[in-house]
Amino acid sequence: MRIASLAVAALLAGCSRDPVDARYPALYQRALEATTASAEVPQDGAERFVAFFESMDQPGLVERVDALYGTAVYFSDTLFVAEERAALEKHFERLQASGVRIDVDLDDAVISGRNLYLRWRMRTGSSSGSSEAHTIGMTQLRFDETGRISLHQDFWDSSEGVYRRVPVLGAAIRFVDARIAGKP
């Protein structure tokens, strides 16, 4: 049993994120500090956010990224971190090229100071419809003077939405979860 636990630990360590992720909390903190004087939350901020993600498979993606996100932007969806819009454009282009389909149900939107917090349910899958993942999460948004997003931080469990669906890794995660829960 110990050998199996060590094997799982080694597998998970081998699948760890790249070195930028070791700085993830510091990057988020720096982005928070850099956007403290952000602009007021636009009236249609939540609707534009949802519309963007639901149109990932449509033409004109780069133009929609430029319309939604400011030139100076911090973006983290827990799987990818960007500190410039050009990197964010490439990230969304890769998602689009992979045939990703995203449906978002917005459950709640709360404005606190100059922050917009969104609680959502998301279904992601391929355009072929072969596989679909369901997840829940929250997003913190801040906006610049032009009404575009300057900070986008997602808070969600990527193991539920992504990693459990990866062959071998998903089984390893379920094994570790069962061990923690005290199940044989």
Side-chain angles (χ1 to χ4, degrees):
M1 191 52 79
R2 286 187 181 183
I3 292 172
S5 295
L6 288 173
V8 169
L11 175 66
L12 293 175
C15 296
S16 66
R17 297 173 167 186
D18 68 33
V20 73
D21 293 326
R23 302 185 332 248
Y24 168 71
L27 292 173
Y28 173 58
Q29 188 61 43
R30 187 174 70 207
L32 286 174
E33 292 166 4
T35 59
T36 46
S38 58
E40 294 289 326
V41 174
Q43 195 80 4
D44 64 347
E47 292 80 15
R48 287 189 301 130
F49 176 84
V50 171
F52 172 80
F53 282 93
E54 289 190 336
S55 67
M56 286 288 294
D57 59 345
Q58 302 298 311
L61 179 68
V62 170
E63 292 81 8
R64 288 194 311 281
V65 171
D66 293 349
L68 185 63
Y69 291 93
T71 305
V73 64
Y74 170 83
F75 174 93
S76 173
D77 65 5
T78 75
L79 300 173
F80 174 80
V81 177
E83 295 186 280
E84 58 184 39
R85 191 170 66 200
L88 187 56
E89 289 170 355
K90 287 183 175 136
H91 171 65
F92 286 130
E93 287 177 315
R94 280 191 303 272
L95 286 175
Q96 186 181 55
S98 73
V100 72
R101 188 191 79 257
I102 299 174
D103 294 309
V104 179
D105 293 318
L106 188 59
D107 293 325
D108 199 13
V110 175
I111 296 174
S112 176
R114 296 181 186 261
N115 296 288
L116 174 60
Y117 295 96
L118 307 172
R119 185 172 54 86
W120 44 259
R121 289 172 286 132
M122 185 179 293
R123 290 169 311 286
T124 58
S126 64
S127 54
S128 67
S130 61
S131 177
E132 188 170 271
H134 297 252
T135 190
I136 58 172
M138 296 188 75
T139 299
Q140 176 187 10
L141 299 174
R142 287 184 176 171
F143 297 84
D144 65 18
E145 311 75 40
T146 67
R148 294 183 295 175
I149 296 169
S150 60
L151 180 140
H152 172 154
Q153 175 65 57
D154 285 341
F155 302 95
W156 65 289
D157 182 359
S158 56
S159 74
E160 284 295 329
V162 176
Y163 295 133
R164 286 180 187 270
R165 306 180 78 67
V166 176
V168 180
L169 182 58
I173 290 171
R174 287 187 294 278
F175 173 79
V176 170
D177 284 350
R179 297 291 297 165
I180 291 171
K183 297 177 185 174

